[in-house]
């Protein structure tokens, strides 16, 4: 294992930025060519895969227009008919992605299709600011005010708005919740802040759950922590803004760090440049779908979502956004942000994790479990592959083994 210290990381990151700036004209000249198709959407893929698709919209209490994607039934042979009520499976994506992650690998691999084939009514959420939820009835997405949110607002405003809509539309009283990464954070925050919401979840299936992350070995958290891990005047001056890594830049960095014979230390950046901030091992990916993955990932997000996670990494707490002691007094009535009360989270909750996840490590996962009530955890599943990492839950060649376990657990709760 390569050991890299923070100064080296910062130096490498800076060098990549310089090289990117110098080589970007070569990208535009066609030296580095991308095979991605920007017209790829969740709707297009679902229909191409032969499943019915519906688009729904929800307006939040603070005027964001969120897009929900539904697969009402499975069109596969020998599946149950399209008539009659179905139990709702609500699926929430992770940081910087969208509903497309749940269907990107097609009917033989993706979890949404496995659940649909099993008879569930599939609803996929899209958080404010991502590809499908870029509108507000009062604010332009070009304004700083539009991007003034973190995953806290997604958790306590977006998620309940979407689930309320789904329950009202279907007439069901509960949903089964399936989430990855930031989607798991949303569940933990919502039920910590609003305990009455526990009753609207029949079960929760949390893949790579992100609560405490102080032991993370993700290099982007390490790089960002000294700069953005605590409030500072520069951060306040910059304000809130959209964050979406350029696909052209990602392409250059991929070529630089993955395909050329650079020193070993630079190879740790390969997965990051291709798969955003989570250090996914490209060798584990289902190669057949790489172009679709690159066409839909990453999605846009608020820089505050990323900063909020950096704060959690630096502080060691699972708590609300830190604005600095002065503003915290105004927002929270205390110099420090309040912690999320995980004792409010009820079960049944199933947790799935990979031993090679650099974002969610075992010590942090154990701490999360220790803070949950004893009756909450219904199942803990370690994927039986040593190099199964954070994004493997979405893109890995062998993700079906996880999907089979998730489906088994979902069926076990009547």
């Amino acid at each position: 294992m390569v050991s890299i210290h923070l100064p080296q990381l910062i130096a490498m990151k800076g060098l990549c930025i310089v090289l990117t700036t110098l080589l970007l004209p070569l990208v535009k000249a066609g030296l580095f060519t991308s095979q991605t198709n920007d017209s790829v959407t969740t709707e297009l893929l679902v229909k191409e895969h032969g499943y019915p698709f519906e688009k729904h919209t929800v307006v939040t209490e603070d005027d964001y227009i969120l897009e929900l994607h539904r697969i009402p039934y499975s069109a596969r042979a020998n599946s149950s008919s399209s008539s009659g009520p179905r139990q709702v499976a609500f699926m929430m994506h992770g940081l910087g992605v969208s509903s497309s992650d749940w269907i990107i690998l097609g009917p033989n691999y993706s979890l949404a299709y496995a659940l649909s084939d099993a008879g569930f009514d599939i609803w996929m959420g899209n958080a404010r600011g991502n590809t499908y939820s870029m509108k507000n009835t009062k604010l332009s997405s070009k304004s700083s005010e539009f991007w003034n949110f973190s995953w806290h607002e997604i958790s306590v405003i977006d998620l309940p708005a979407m689930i309320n809509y789904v329950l009202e539309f279907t007439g069901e009283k509960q949903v089964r919740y399936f989430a990855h990464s930031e989607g798991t954070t949303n569940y933990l925050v919502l039920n910590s802040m609003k305990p009455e919401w526990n009753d609207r979840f029949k079960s929760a299936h949390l893949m790579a759950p992100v609560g405490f992350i102080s032991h993370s070995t993700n290099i982007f958290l390490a790089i960002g922590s000294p700069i953005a891990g605590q409030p500072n005047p520069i951060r306040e001056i910059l304000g809130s803004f959209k964050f979406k890594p350029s696909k052209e830049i990602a392409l250059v960095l991929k070529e630089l760090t993955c395909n050329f014979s650079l020193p070993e230390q630079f190879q740790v950046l390969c997965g990051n440049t291709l798969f955003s901030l989570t250090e996914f091992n490209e060798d584990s990916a289902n190669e057949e779908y790489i172009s679709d993955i690159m066409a839909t990932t990453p999605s846009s997000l608020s820089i505050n979502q990323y900063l909020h996670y950096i704060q959690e990494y630096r502080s060691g707490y699972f708590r609300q956004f830190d604005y600095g002691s002065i503003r915290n007094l105004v927002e929270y009535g205390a110099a420090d942000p309040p912690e999320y009360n995980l004792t409010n989270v009820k079960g049944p909750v199933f947790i799935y994790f990979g031993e090679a996840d650099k974002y969610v490590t075992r010590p942090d996962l154990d701490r999360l479990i220790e803070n949950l009530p004893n009756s909450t955890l219904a199942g803990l599943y370690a994927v039986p592959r040593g190099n199964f990492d954070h994004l493997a839950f979405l893109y890995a060649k062998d993700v079906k083994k996880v999907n089979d376990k998730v489906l088994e657990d979902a069926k076990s709760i009547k």
Side-chain angles (χ1 to χ4, degrees):
M1 180 177 179
V2 179
S3 177
I4 303 179
H5 299 292
L6 184 59
Q8 290 175 281
L9 292 175
I10 295 174
M12 286 192 294
K13 181 69 172 178
L15 180 57
C16 282
I17 292 172
V18 172
L19 290 173
T20 298
T21 303
L22 294 175
L23 293 176
L24 195 54
L26 298 180
V27 174
K28 296 181 178 180
L31 180 59
F32 301 109
T33 57
S34 173
Q35 302 301 314
T36 64
N37 181 356
D38 289 337
S39 67
V40 174
T41 65
T42 300
E43 178 175 4
L44 175 68
L45 291 172
V46 171
K47 290 179 177 178
E48 283 186 351
H49 296 152
Y51 285 71
F53 177 87
E54 294 178 7
K55 185 186 300 183
H56 297 254
T57 56
V58 178
V59 180
T60 68
E61 63 188 57
D62 55 352
D63 305 306
Y64 286 86
I65 302 173
L66 312 178
E67 193 168 297
L68 285 165
H69 295 156
R70 184 191 189 196
I71 304 174
Y73 60 90
S74 171
R76 277 191 155 189
N78 301 321
S79 67
S80 44
S81 69
S82 59
S83 61
R86 293 165 175 269
Q87 294 194 59
V88 172
F90 187 90
M91 311 185 76
M92 195 61 189
H93 61 79
L95 181 71
V97 288
S98 68
S99 61
S100 65
D101 276 345
W102 298 117
I103 52 89
I104 200 75
L105 298 189
N108 295 326
Y109 298 98
S110 287
L111 181 58
Y113 294 127
L115 291 168
S116 179
D117 293 344
F120 289 96
D121 181 0
I122 309 302
W123 292 79
M124 297 172 283
N126 285 292
R128 64 181 64 191
N130 89 351
T131 301
Y132 302 105
S133 298
M134 284 283 289
K135 295 180 181 179
N136 184 291
T137 62
K138 297 178 180 177
L139 302 172
S140 167
S141 61
K142 296 180 180 180
S143 70
S144 174
E145 190 176 355
F146 178 96
W147 298 99
N148 187 22
F149 62 85
S150 75
W151 40 258
H152 177 86
E153 285 73 24
I154 294 171
S155 304
V156 299
I157 301 177
D158 293 6
L159 185 56
M162 289 187 286
I163 291 179
N164 266 339
Y165 176 90
V166 170
L167 292 177
E168 183 176 347
F169 186 91
T170 61
E172 294 292 309
K173 295 182 178 179
Q174 291 181 308
V175 304
R176 296 176 190 270
Y177 187 80
F178 301 86
H180 174 254
S181 192
E182 187 188 65
T184 70
T185 305
N186 299 149
Y187 177 86
L188 296 170
V189 171
L190 172 59
N191 289 292
S192 294
M193 297 289 294
K194 300 180 178 182
E196 67 275 12
W197 267 87
N198 284 283
D199 294 336
R200 302 185 201 188
F201 297 99
K202 183 177 284 290
S203 63
H205 305 265
L206 310 183
M207 288 156 268
V210 186
F212 301 100
I213 53 172
S214 60
H215 290 86
S216 172
T217 58
N218 177 273
I219 65 171
F220 281 93
L221 289 176
I223 290 170
S225 178
I227 303 168
Q230 58 187 353
N232 57 68
I234 296 177
R235 165 72 188 86
E236 291 298 317
I237 292 171
L238 289 175
S240 305
F241 56 92
K242 174 182 177 180
F243 177 68
K244 183 175 182 180
S246 164
K247 291 176 184 176
E248 288 182 327
I249 291 177
L251 178 62
V252 175
L253 293 181
K254 176 182 181 294
E255 294 290 349
L256 286 172
T257 59
C258 301
N259 297 345
F260 294 153
S261 298
L262 295 180
E264 184 181 14
Q265 287 86 347
F266 284 86
Q267 298 302 317
V268 300
L269 294 175
C270 173
N272 288 278
T273 58
L274 182 57
F275 290 104
S276 191
L277 308 176
T278 46
E279 298 185 75
F280 179 57
N281 178 8
E282 188 182 357
D283 292 335
S284 298
N286 196 322
E287 296 94 339
E288 181 182 352
Y289 300 95
I290 288 293
S291 62
D292 285 345
I293 294 171
M294 290 297 291
T296 57
T297 304
S299 178
S300 52
L301 67 152
S302 168
I303 190 64
N304 293 342
Q305 292 170 253
Y306 185 41
L307 293 179
H308 200 166
Y309 279 128
I310 293 177
Q311 290 179 0
E312 307 294 275
Y313 169 79
R314 184 179 177 89
S315 71
Y317 292 105
F318 183 44
R319 63 187 186 182
Q320 295 187 46
F321 197 88
D322 190 348
Y323 297 100
S325 57
I326 296 176
R327 184 175 169 187
N328 285 345
L329 288 170
V330 176
E331 298 286 342
Y332 310 124
D336 294 317
E339 296 182 52
Y340 295 113
N341 185 4
L342 291 170
T343 62
N344 286 336
V345 180
K346 309 302 179 186
V349 172
F350 296 85
I351 288 177
Y352 313 86
F353 69 98
E355 296 286 0
D357 193 333
K358 295 181 180 181
Y359 205 79
V360 180
T361 63
R362 190 57 193 262
D364 289 328
L365 181 62
D366 289 341
R367 186 179 173 192
L368 171 63
I369 294 170
E370 289 169 3
N371 278 269
L372 294 170
N374 292 334
S375 60
T376 295
L377 188 64
L380 180 64
Y381 178 72
V383 181
R385 173 161 71 83
N387 62 342
F388 203 87
D389 50 25
H390 197 71
L391 288 185
F393 287 96
L394 303 173
Y395 306 139
K397 300 172 185 176
D398 54 350
V399 71
K400 189 176 183 300
K401 69 177 67 172
V402 180
N403 294 346
D404 289 345
K405 176 59 177 172
V406 172
L407 186 56
E408 175 188 326
D409 290 339
K411 290 180 175 179
S412 72
I413 304 298
K414 305 301 182 181

